[in-house]
Amino acid sequence: MAPKSLRTSRNPDLIRGVGKFSRSKMYHKRGLWAIKAKNGGVFPKHEAKPAVTDAAVTKQPKFYPADDVKKPLVNKRKHKPTKLRESITTGTVLILLAGRFMGKRVVFLKQLPSGLLLVTGPFKINGVPLRRVNQSYVIATSTKVDIFGVNVEKFDDKYFAKEVAEKKKKGEGEFFEAEKEEKKVLPDNKKDDQKTVDTPLIKSIEGVADLKPYLSARFSLKSGMKPHELVF
Amino acid sequence: MTVLKQNFQEPFKRYVEIGRVALVNYGKDYGRLVVIVDIIDQNRALVDAPDMVRSQMNFKRLSLTDIKIDINRVPKKKTLIDAMEKADVKNKWENSSWGRKLIVQKRRAALNDFDRFKIMLAKIKKGGLIRQELAKLKKENAS
């Protein structure tokens, strides 16, 4: 029989376990009489498919484990990025709450596939580069910046991966020599990326009065401010 | 409550009476201006406002204001609204110092983080200008 694709039963349930139509009625409804008629009064028979001989397809494994190896359970879960808070949209000014840039007000660009938020200072304004930030360590303000003309398509989590340093073989001589300190220099392409993202942003920021000094300043709780009563 | 005797100090200035406008200071209707339309007993009053269902309230929930309107006991909603318009309750309230303070409090509570920053800049600028003027006056005085 051809496989059914999303076809509901032709026999609706009166109650669970009891169908509306009898066996003979269902025989008629399913058109088995027509299939038989097409095949000359007999139900069509298909020959059994020749069983694929295992010997021809699989090779003998060259290693049999001594004990039975347990197969891991099937896991079909797919990773979804964290649900973005409704208050966070492109161009929202966020306040960073932890880390090196604690208190800085930054502009939100987009959410990366890992769930982290891509933000930028902009760098020239407050020193925060293109950076990933966790949604939980952020306060979303209701101030928005116009993101028109900023292209963030190329940024994803791989862009921010740490570069794996080549392992150098330790020779005896190197123990006695003074350790050469290698400074980590930011590659030029990253500096250029920062500039391409920031220039249209800075233009739209300078269009709003007092927004540039606002982004340059850090946020701090002052005396009398109650965070649960503040409107951000 | 007008008294005819001279040199008589009224013991109170604001009285609970029919037509007295009060501010609700506790509960679901916190911050609403209501009018006392009837007195139920020693503790409770029947209270009404144009956008509210007429209901009872304990006097402890009410803060009396200076405003009083001219109505009869338990007026119809329409009569109440007309009397409030005639006495211009809304404008009197909003121009009174108490009413203005509440409006400022509401505005301050609704300030954005960006707004607070702008206010800080404005305060600094204002302070700077005042200090300039003061310095000028001091200089003039000294010379």
Side-chain angles (χ1 to χ4, degrees):
Chain A
M1 287 263 293
K4 288 191 211 169
S5 49
L6 291 176
R7 222 299 186 190
T8 51
S9 164
R10 293 177 215 262
N11 191 359
D13 274 352
L14 292 174
I15 304 173
R16 190 183 86 116
V18 179
K20 186 173 170 189
F21 299 111
S22 64
R23 287 182 76 103
S24 49
K25 271 274 183 345
M26 280 314 293
Y27 174 88
H28 179 78
K29 273 171 99 70
R30 282 166 69 199
L32 297 178
W33 53 274
I35 295 173
K36 270 191 172 178
K38 211 168 167 192
N39 206 35
V42 196
F43 213 65
K45 246 178 145 182
H46 293 289
E47 268 131 39
K49 278 195 223 144
V52 181
T53 49
D54 286 325
V57 178
T58 54
K59 290 197 302 186
Q60 297 297 319
K62 49 180 175 173
F63 172 70
Y64 289 98
D67 305 311
D68 281 329
V69 181
K70 279 200 169 168
K71 274 174 114 179
L73 294 172
V74 174
N75 182 2
K76 290 209 172 138
R77 291 186 166 174
K78 291 213 175 82
H79 171 79
K80 271 202 303 189
T82 349
K83 184 154 178 265
L84 198 59
R85 258 184 271 159
E86 270 174 31
S87 49
I88 302 180
T89 60
T90 44
T92 314
V93 173
L94 308 173
I95 301 177
L96 300 180
L97 294 174
R100 185 168 165 213
F101 300 106
M102 189 161 34
K104 293 268 192 203
R105 296 167 170 123
V106 295
V107 179
F108 169 71
L109 297 174
K110 75 167 186 180
Q111 185 180 32
L112 299 169
S114 65
L116 298 173
L117 313 179
L118 177 66
V119 295
T120 179
F123 185 69
K124 277 237 180 288
I125 294 184
N126 54 18
V128 180
L130 280 166
R131 199 168 203 263
R132 294 185 299 172
V133 136
N134 191 315
Q135 206 189 150
S136 305
Y137 297 94
V138 137
I139 294 181
T141 65
S142 46
T143 320
K144 312 249 187 255
V145 174
D146 189 14
I147 291 269
F148 179 76
V150 177
N151 186 358
V152 276
E153 296 288 313
K154 66 178 272 197
F155 300 112
D156 65 342
D157 293 291
K158 282 201 258 308
Y159 180 88
F160 294 98
K162 276 213 177 87
E163 287 177 24
V164 183
E166 289 168 17
K167 274 194 172 177
K168 281 186 256 159
K169 286 198 179 154
K170 282 198 199 153
E172 269 199 33
E174 287 206 6
F175 278 114
F176 300 106
E177 280 177 18
E179 267 193 34
K180 286 181 268 175
E181 280 214 21
E182 285 188 23
K183 285 190 91 175
K184 281 200 206 141
V185 185
L186 196 63
D188 273 332
N189 65 337
K190 291 212 173 171
K191 290 191 191 168
D192 292 332
D193 288 335
Q194 182 77 51
K195 276 198 207 126
T196 36
V197 170
D198 281 354
T199 18
L201 257 185
I202 293 180
K203 257 176 104 187
S204 46
I205 287 171
E206 285 176 345
V208 183
D210 289 332
L211 191 56
K212 195 152 170 238
Y214 174 62
L215 291 176
S216 318
R218 282 207 204 222
F219 170 83
S220 68
L221 269 186
K222 311 250 173 32
S223 184
M225 283 176 140
K226 297 173 196 159
H228 69 292
E229 284 180 6
L230 286 180
V231 169
F232 283 99
Chain B
M1 298 277 176
T2 49
V3 191
L4 294 168
K5 289 189 196 166
Q6 293 168 311
N7 302 328
F8 177 78
Q9 276 185 320
E10 281 188 59
F12 293 101
K13 283 209 184 121
R14 302 167 183 165
Y15 289 89
V16 168
E17 51 199 332
I18 293 174
R20 175 65 59 183
V21 174
L23 186 70
V24 180
N25 60 28
Y26 181 90
K28 196 180 73 136
D29 297 303
Y30 181 85
R32 200 199 279 271
L33 268 187
V34 291
V35 179
I36 297 176
V37 296
D38 197 4
I39 316 260
I40 299 172
D41 63 10
Q42 186 195 330
N43 293 318
R44 292 172 299 160
L46 192 60
V47 130
D48 204 355
D51 57 343
M52 184 177 101
V53 173
R54 199 196 303 146
S55 59
Q56 62 146 27
M57 254 191 207
N58 193 313
F59 288 121
K60 291 186 180 177
R61 289 197 180 197
L62 300 172
S63 299
L64 304 179
T65 68
D66 287 328
I67 308 171
K68 180 181 178 317
I69 65 176
D70 193 15
I71 48 170
N72 287 323
R73 195 182 73 92
V74 194
K76 292 226 192 313
K77 200 68 158 212
K78 201 155 144 300
T79 330
L80 176 68
I81 295 176
D82 289 336
M84 286 181 88
E85 294 277 310
K86 192 158 154 250
D88 205 13
V89 169
K90 190 160 185 277
N91 281 331
K92 274 207 206 136
W93 176 244
E94 283 172 5
N95 294 330
S96 71
S97 64
W98 186 358
R100 276 183 287 137
K101 267 189 273 174
L102 285 190
I103 289 173
V104 169
Q105 274 176 24
K106 280 201 190 117
R107 273 231 75 209
R108 287 210 179 124
L111 283 178
N112 199 348
D113 187 44
F114 189 24
D115 292 334
R116 266 175 262 134
F117 182 79
K118 287 191 270 194
I119 284 176
M120 176 193 72
L121 292 183
K123 276 193 188 169
I124 292 171
K125 206 166 176 191
K126 175 177 146 194
L129 290 172
I130 290 174
R131 239 169 283 140
Q132 269 185 338
E133 286 300 316
L134 185 62
K136 259 192 246 168
L137 289 171
K138 276 193 188 163
K139 211 168 160 193
E140 278 172 25
N141 233 17
S143 58

